[in-house]
Amino acid sequence: MPDVGNQPAALTTFVGRRGNLAEARRRLGTTRLLTLTGPGGVGKTRLALEVAAVSATEFADGVCLVDLAPVRDPSLVANAMATALGVPDLGIGPVIDQLAAFLTHRAPLIVLDNCEHLVDACAELAHALLSVSPGLRVLATSRRALGICGEHIVAVPPLASDDAVELLRDRTAAVRPEFRVTDANRAQVLRLCEELDGLPLAIELAASRLRTLTVDEVVDRLEDRFGLLASGCRVARPRQRTLRGLIDWSHELCTPAERLLWNRLSVFAGDFGLDAAESVCAGDGIGQDDILHLLDQLVVQSILLPTERDGRPRYRLLETIRQYGRERLAESGEEQRIQRRHRDFYLAFAERMADGWYGPGQRESLTRLRAEHANLHAVLERGGDPQATLALAAALRFHWCEGGFLGEGRHRLDRALAAAHEPTPTRARALWVAAWVATLQRDHAAAHLRLDEAAELGERLEDPVACAHVQSLRGTLALFSGRLEEAVSLLEAAMASHLRTGEEAGAVHALIQMATAQSHLGDPRTTETCRQALALAEACDERLLRAHAQWTLGYDAWRRGDLKGAGRMIRAALENEQGFNDYIRVALMLEQLAWVTSACGSHEEAARLLGAARALWRDLDTSVSAFGPHMAAQYTRCEEDVVRALGPAAYETALAEGGRHHGPDEAIAYALRTEPEPPATPCAPSPLTPREGEVAALVAEGLSNQQIASALCRSPRTVERHVENVLAKMSFSCRAQIASWWTANQALTA
């Protein structure tokens, strides 16, 4: 079973708290919800991460960190957890239901960090998931308890004197290697730690100052600072005064440029990269070339924490430090200007990702979009300029549709469209993007409404790109609704429109959908349409459209009875799907590969593939039947063939074995490990009548019953009876098996 974990690697040593660590681990072994409580800066998060790290091997599905500091809307707590776990938000039902389906058969430890501003939402989510997932454990950090039944609480105290001294020594040695705690300075070190109330965050900030000051100098300056604080704020709790005073002092000791950067960095939600900091924070007192040096200085002073995401260096502010910087930014009068620059950077970033989508870097683009999700969310939530917000929601179309955020994408697009009514090209684009999202959610009525407005607006604005996308999506909706002839007509027109506007990727997508409709119609042009789409996709080194084209070619080959070609194409499609975490496409491909494998006679392997697909459907809380009656019928036929060949007990065993492989990538790796060959057919007298033989030959050529009836001058009902006789005599369950048998038999008798 895979590790769902995303726990960041610790960049500093864990100092002290051995008793607290042992107690938390012991309590975690006897309860399913453990909450670490305490004031800001006391070290709740650091203790929780250490508990998780040393306990990771005890959880079959690893550890997952859900950082709630950037989340402001209680309704998005479940979304934050889904993102951390890698659960796609399909937006078809409540996200909490998808999480429940995903976790029911898993046993991870989930760390819910920074719950205090979302206590009710966290309590509701934890209660719901713990109720349905017996193996789940939740470790929460919060300034107050969640308050639900079964919760155990560990109050995290300030550091004991010896631990506080050791933390100060360790962190000071990192910036001043020669620093030692000696008999000569021990009393003052103890005094300093006591002045700081044993708060780890305060001690780390003070340690950064020991790079240039002596212990005595730091103690003297802090005593002056805390004396002023005490006279000005008699109602605050002592530890709150201590931390606030130290952060004030740290801010004052920064250079003007460092203070300015600290304030401006507070606009970021979660972590951020150097390019974002340079674009958003440079200017008016900070040169762009100075940003990297200033970031390094803030890291040295423990204001800023270096981190890493997917191999890229990034930075983040602790929430307490960020909130302080945000107050200072508001006081400075430049908050709105920095927010606009933050918005402009992420709008340009999203448009760059969309414009460069069709090419070899798709997986990397999705990774970058996911890394910036918190900042993108913050910009969309903040609003301000309705047209800019609408442009961003539309530019994030591949993040919504390919990255697994359909539900949030639908919500963001609907809100942005409702706020920006002007008839602009941006609105036209957002309308067809919203229709695409609704189509993927199988909400065809909403998709048609959006497309109707997009068509009218596109024509009024003379926007050929928008009109081409409207045609293409209308063709897709016709295909999904079973109106196949209409789909072919619309998609053929859309392909031509996309080519006229220079959008080859749009043309490839239309071609693939058209080939799918042609295949269901038994159109002999299907193979050529697929190959044309595949050639265009390969020309721009595009992976996802290439995978879709290969998948469609596989279906066409299976329909024609070319089982070897079908298996080869579906496997190639699965290889291209690796790394995209697309549950639905991979599950559908596995289903189709199981049909081919069963037709090849490898029934046990087919059962394993059905099991791998079933595990993905279970994680999504849906099934293959949601994708049309033809899919459900073929699944039933395949399952009946396999059960008949193996027997119910052996079928269930093989199904369970395949079901042990969770997540799209693991399922793909499992499916690609073997490649069954079509069975050799012995040369034997045909049990078919001459007329049935004629019908079988035409089935092998890919003709539909209607086309066979025309070729033989017979009624479609007569041809249907002949096909049924062939299936019964040969113990076949589908036309693909007739075609495979006929082709092999002809080769052996040639």
Side-chain angles (χ1 to χ4, degrees):
M1 199 167 284
D3 186 341
V4 297
N6 62 343
Q7 191 176 2
L11 299 177
T12 57
T13 55
F14 182 77
V15 175
R17 292 208 188 277
R18 294 301 160 192
N20 302 138
L21 179 62
E23 171 68 6
R25 288 195 68 191
R26 184 186 68 77
R27 299 280 288 276
L28 194 60
T30 59
T31 184
R32 299 181 58 217
L33 171 60
L34 179 65
T35 302
L36 306 182
T37 63
V42 81
K44 300 183 294 295
T45 296
R46 190 66 176 87
L47 178 58
L49 292 178
E50 188 67 15
V51 171
V54 298
S55 306
T57 57
E58 300 168 15
F59 295 91
D61 292 299
V63 175
C64 181
L65 172 65
V66 183
D67 181 10
L68 296 174
V71 180
R72 290 290 174 266
D73 185 346
S75 69
L76 294 177
V77 171
N79 298 67
M81 182 180 288
T83 299
L85 287 166
V87 178
D89 170 17
L90 303 180
I92 298 169
V95 176
I96 194 168
D97 291 347
Q98 287 182 239
L99 283 170
F102 183 83
L103 291 169
T104 296
H105 303 281
R106 286 179 166 85
L109 170 63
I110 294 180
V111 180
L112 277 180
D113 192 30
N114 292 300
C115 298
E116 50 273 347
H117 60 302
L118 301 160
V119 165
D120 292 341
C122 290
E124 181 182 344
L125 180 63
H127 176 74
L129 297 180
L130 289 167
S131 298
V132 298
S133 177
L136 174 65
R137 296 289 186 276
V138 175
L139 176 60
T141 72
S142 178
R143 296 186 188 183
R144 58 194 180 99
L146 302 189
I148 62 176
C149 183
E151 178 184 26
H152 286 216
I153 298 168
V154 170
V156 179
L159 289 172
S161 294
D162 289 346
D163 288 347
V165 168
E166 177 56 21
L167 179 64
L168 185 73
R169 185 208 62 76
D170 180 85
R171 300 303 190 256
T172 304
V175 296
R176 184 177 165 187
E178 71 276 10
F179 180 79
R180 299 287 186 277
V181 177
T182 65
D183 291 341
N185 68 6
R186 184 177 299 278
Q188 282 293 76
V189 168
L190 276 169
R191 184 179 172 191
L192 173 58
C193 292
E194 288 171 0
E195 289 283 351
L196 298 174
D197 289 328
L199 291 174
L201 176 57
I203 291 170
E204 297 211 17
L205 290 171
S208 71
R209 293 301 161 196
L210 290 172
R211 182 167 55 104
T212 54
L213 299 174
T214 67
V215 176
D216 288 342
E217 288 172 328
V218 171
V219 169
D220 291 343
R221 294 186 182 209
L222 282 178
E223 284 184 340
D224 291 342
R225 163 66 58 185
F226 293 156
L228 290 172
L229 259 164
S231 64
C233 182
R234 300 186 184 279
V235 296
R237 291 167 53 190
R239 285 179 190 135
Q240 290 176 331
R241 289 206 306 270
T242 298
L243 189 56
R244 177 71 184 202
L246 191 63
I247 295 174
D248 276 336
W249 184 53
S250 296
H251 194 263
E252 289 173 11
L253 289 178
C254 289
T255 66
E258 290 167 356
R259 286 197 295 270
L260 205 54
L261 182 58
W262 176 351
N263 299 346
R264 292 175 182 177
L265 290 174
S266 68
V267 77
F268 289 103
D271 50 41
F272 55 88
L274 173 61
D275 58 339
E278 288 177 336
S279 180
V280 175
C281 301
D284 298 311
I286 303 178
Q288 184 167 323
D289 293 340
D290 296 329
I291 293 287
L292 179 58
H293 170 71
L294 292 171
L295 289 171
D296 287 342
Q297 291 304 302
L298 292 178
V299 168
V300 168
Q301 297 171 68
S302 296
I303 302 302
L304 198 60
L305 299 179
T307 184
E308 185 179 284
R309 191 191 287 264
D310 301 304
R312 292 174 177 267
R314 293 175 70 82
Y315 303 89
R316 70 182 180 92
L317 293 165
L318 285 176
E319 186 61 13
T320 304
I321 301 296
R322 192 192 72 81
Q323 288 174 356
Y324 181 90
R326 198 58 180 270
E327 291 175 15
R328 293 290 187 164
L329 182 65
E331 292 168 1
S332 72
E334 64 171 8
E335 182 177 27
Q336 289 189 356
R337 184 175 63 83
I338 296 301
Q339 286 179 341
R340 283 195 300 272
R341 296 185 68 170
H342 183 254
R343 178 202 67 203
D344 292 345
F345 173 81
Y346 282 105
L347 175 57
F349 164 78
E351 290 180 334
R352 195 164 61 249
M353 293 294 105
D355 292 342
W357 173 255
Y358 292 106
Q362 290 173 327
R363 187 166 60 181
E364 291 73 20
S365 293
L366 286 180
T367 298
R368 291 201 65 192
L369 285 163
R370 186 176 287 270
E372 300 293 358
H373 187 82
N375 281 296
L376 294 166
H377 168 85
V379 174
L380 290 167
E381 192 66 23
R382 188 188 306 135
D385 180 346
Q387 285 294 322
T389 302
L390 187 62
L392 179 57
L396 290 172
R397 52 192 174 273
F398 298 109
H399 185 51
W400 308 138
C401 296
E402 300 291 356
F405 294 96
L406 285 176
E408 182 172 351
R410 176 78 175 270
H411 171 69
R412 295 296 177 191
L413 284 159
D414 287 350
R415 275 185 52 176
L417 284 165
H421 296 283
E422 295 84 353
T424 62
T426 298
R427 182 172 179 83
R429 184 186 309 116
L431 284 166
W432 68 254
V433 172
W436 182 20
V437 172
T439 299
L440 293 176
Q441 291 182 307
R442 303 194 294 282
D443 187 350
H444 293 183
H448 280 297
L449 285 173
R450 293 300 192 193
L451 288 175
D452 289 344
E453 185 183 349
E456 186 275 328
L457 185 56
E459 290 173 6
R460 195 194 329 170
L461 297 172
E462 297 182 348
D463 185 341
V465 172
C467 291
H469 281 286
V470 168
Q471 280 182 306
S472 186
L473 285 164
R474 281 177 169 166
T476 299
L477 286 166
L479 170 62
F480 288 177
S481 301
R483 305 191 309 275
L484 301 179
E485 291 87 354
E486 180 187 347
V488 171
S489 175
L490 285 166
L491 291 162
E492 199 163 18
M495 178 198 65
S497 298
H498 280 302
L499 288 175
R500 282 195 298 272
T501 62
E503 286 189 303
E504 280 197 358
V508 175
H509 190 269
L511 277 169
I512 292 169
Q513 301 285 46
M514 186 167 70
T516 303
Q518 288 173 335
S519 182
H520 287 301
L521 286 168
D523 190 326
R525 297 176 297 170
T526 302
T527 304
E528 180 53 36
T529 304
C530 283
R531 295 198 183 284
Q532 186 183 351
L534 185 58
L536 284 171
E538 288 176 340
C540 60
D541 198 16
E542 206 278 354
R543 282 184 60 185
L544 286 179
L545 285 179
R546 187 192 313 176
H548 203 158
Q550 289 165 331
W551 178 23
T552 307
L553 268 171
Y555 180 84
D556 178 59
W558 173 79
R559 184 188 57 80
R560 291 184 289 103
D562 178 7
L563 299 182
K564 187 170 184 177
R568 185 173 64 252
M569 281 293 106
I570 299 169
R571 290 170 188 281
L574 283 167
E575 285 180 6
N576 277 314
E577 281 287 345
Q578 287 179 314
F580 287 99
N581 199 44
D582 193 303
Y583 279 71
I584 288 177
R585 274 201 304 264
V586 171
L588 289 170
M589 289 178 188
L590 290 173
E591 294 280 354
Q592 193 169 308
L593 187 58
W595 307 347
V596 174
T597 304
S598 176
C600 287
S602 299
H603 296 103
E604 188 172 353
E605 177 64 12
R608 295 190 190 102
L609 291 169
L610 289 175
R614 187 173 71 170
L616 297 179
W617 294 130
R618 183 181 62 203
D619 286 345
L620 296 176
D621 197 24
T622 187
S623 71
V624 69
S625 63
F627 295 85
H630 65 291
M631 294 294 293
Q634 186 53 50
Y635 169 82
T636 300
R637 283 195 291 270
C638 178
E639 184 178 50
E640 287 172 351
D641 285 349
V642 173
V643 173
R644 187 163 49 246
L646 298 179
Y651 169 67
E652 289 296 335
T653 299
L655 200 68
E657 181 181 332
R660 287 199 293 270
H661 303 276
H662 291 272
D665 279 355
E666 194 170 329
I668 290 171
Y670 183 69
L672 296 179
R673 78 199 189 289
T674 60
E675 184 171 357
E677 292 291 326
T681 305
C683 184
S686 171
L688 307 183
T689 67
R691 179 63 75 189
E692 289 166 352
E694 285 182 299
V695 171
L698 294 173
V699 168
E701 291 178 19
L703 272 64
S704 67
N705 285 358
Q706 182 67 52
Q707 292 168 321
I708 295 171
S710 298
L712 298 179
C713 299
R714 294 288 185 273
S715 71
R717 179 64 191 131
T718 299
V719 172
E720 186 179 340
R721 260 197 323 270
H722 285 314
V723 172
E724 290 172 353
N725 289 341
V726 174
L727 291 169
K729 287 182 178 182
M730 304 304 299
S731 298
F732 291 159
S733 62
C734 64
R735 297 169 74 91
Q737 289 173 300
I738 297 175
S740 179
W741 168 81
W742 180 263
T743 303
N745 195 58
Q746 291 302 105
L748 288 167
T749 58

